[in-house]
Amino acid sequence: MIKQRDGFTVLELIVYLAVVTSVLMINLMLISYVRETHPDEKLFWHSFGDSWLQAQQAAKAHECKWLVVVDQSEVVFKLFDSRLDTEVVKLPGDLIPVAARKLYISQDGFTQPTTINW
């Protein structure tokens, strides 16, 4: 007569751990592959970060307000009441915002928190 068991045997536990480990390793490899295949997005975020930091520093230094317009194809950094000093960062083809947004960088470099869905 076979007794009813409440847990795994050692062999079942080893097989289970091997399956879980292989699934996790495959996911990690796929994530790293996806990140490496999109260098345009990495360049965009680097350029965006540099432009944002420059706009914040210029706002603090010159005590002026900046406007940041996120559009379907580009992000434009410009002085709020001037058409001069605009900087345009082009969006990569696979990164598209759901809706156009306007962000304001105040004279002290503060920006109201907001969410942009890509």
Side-chain angles (χ1 to χ4, degrees):
M1 192 186 281
I2 299 176
K3 295 181 181 178
Q4 188 159 1
R5 2 179 224 146
D6 292 335
F8 289 111
T9 64
V10 174
L11 182 60
E12 290 171 336
L13 182 63
I14 291 172
V15 169
Y16 174 76
L17 289 176
V19 169
V20 169
T21 303
S22 63
V23 168
L24 289 175
M25 293 300 291
I26 289 171
N27 285 337
L28 288 175
M29 288 188 304
L30 287 175
I31 288 171
S32 65
Y33 175 75
V34 168
R35 285 185 184 166
E36 290 174 2
T37 56
H38 298 290
D40 293 341
E41 190 173 329
K42 187 175 183 179
L43 289 173
F44 165 75
W45 287 116
H46 182 69
S47 298
F48 179 82
D50 287 345
S51 299
W52 187 272
L53 186 60
Q54 287 175 355
Q56 277 185 323
Q57 290 173 347
K60 288 179 186 178
H62 303 295
E63 294 182 359
C64 58
K65 195 172 182 180
W66 280 75
L67 173 66
V68 180
V69 180
V70 179
D71 202 354
Q72 295 296 322
S73 62
E74 62 190 13
V75 179
V76 179
F77 294 85
K78 61 183 174 181
L79 283 170
F80 185 69
D81 24 332
S82 174
R83 294 185 182 182
L84 302 175
D85 293 342
T86 61
E87 184 172 342
V88 178
V89 179
K90 296 288 183 185
L91 290 172
D94 57 344
L95 188 65
I96 301 170
V98 174
R101 296 292 302 263
K102 290 184 180 180
L103 308 169
Y104 301 96
I105 300 175
S106 65
Q107 290 90 348
D108 60 355
F110 176 75
T111 305
Q112 185 176 1
T114 187
T115 301
I116 299 175
N117 294 318
W118 302 91

